[in-house]
Amino acid sequence: MNVKFTPFIMLDGQANEAIRFYEQALGAKVVFKQTFGETPEAADASMTEEAKNRIAHSVLIVGGSELFVSDSEPHLRLERGDQVNICITVKEAAEAERLYDALRSDGKVLSPLQSLYFSPAYGMVTDRFGVTFQIFTERS
C-alpha cells in the first residue's frame, strides 16, 4: 500500500497570514497556493468576495517535508483544536474508499467521499478518537 501522510492546517480566514508566518519562522517555501476564487466553484455567483479571497489550498515545503495550509470552506465549521488534521494521500479510489469507511466507523463524516475537481475520491472524517482525516486520491 502506497500511502502518504501530510499535516494539514485549516484556519478560518487567517491562512495567508499563517503562510507568511511559516515562511519567516520555519523557512517554508510556498510551492502552490490557490484561492477559492481560482477554483471551478468560483463561477457560483453566490460566492462573496471575502470567500473568493480565502485560501483553498497551499503546499509549503519545510526542509524535506510538506505542510498543507488552507482556510476552511464557509459551510465547514471547525472547532478550535480541529485546525490541524492529517491528509492521507492514496493513488486509487478503491483504497480511499477502504480508508474512509474504516475511519468513519463510530466517527463523524464531515465531507462525504466523492469526486471533486481536484480529486476522483475526496472526503473528510473525524474518527472515534476525535482525530480528523482528509482522504485524498491523486488524479491519474
Side-chain angles (χ1 to χ4, degrees), residues 59-97:
V59 178
L60 286 64
I61 302 294
V62 182
S65 300
E66 286 186 335
L67 172 65
F68 297 164
V69 180
S70 77
D71 288 311
S72 62
E73 294 185 45
H75 75 275
L76 189 62
R77 297 287 175 219
L78 297 177
E79 299 294 322
R80 194 147 183 86
D82 287 342
Q83 295 131 317
V84 178
N85 53 72
I86 299 168
C87 182
I88 302 175
T89 302
V90 297
K91 294 188 180 296
E92 297 182 15
E95 182 64 9
E97 187 174 352

Side-chain angles (χ1 to χ4, degrees), residues 52-136:
K52 287 180 181 179
N53 290 325
R54 291 169 75 95
I55 301 300
H57 188 58
S58 71
V59 178
L60 286 64
I61 302 294
V62 182
S65 300
E66 286 186 335
L67 172 65
F68 297 164
V69 180
S70 77
D71 288 311
S72 62
E73 294 185 45
H75 75 275
L76 189 62
R77 297 287 175 219
L78 297 177
E79 299 294 322
R80 194 147 183 86
D82 287 342
Q83 295 131 317
V84 178
N85 53 72
I86 299 168
C87 182
I88 302 175
T89 302
V90 297
K91 294 188 180 296
E92 297 182 15
E95 182 64 9
E97 187 174 352
R98 186 189 72 73
L99 292 167
Y100 180 86
D101 287 342
L103 289 167
R104 74 181 178 131
S105 176
D106 296 324
K108 177 180 162 188
V109 171
L110 300 176
S111 177
L113 191 68
Q114 60 188 315
S115 177
L116 297 170
Y117 76 92
F118 57 86
S119 174
Y122 171 84
M124 197 168 175
V125 62
T126 300
D127 73 9
R128 63 183 175 177
F129 303 105
V131 178
T132 300
F133 291 90
Q134 294 185 49
I135 313 298
F136 173 80

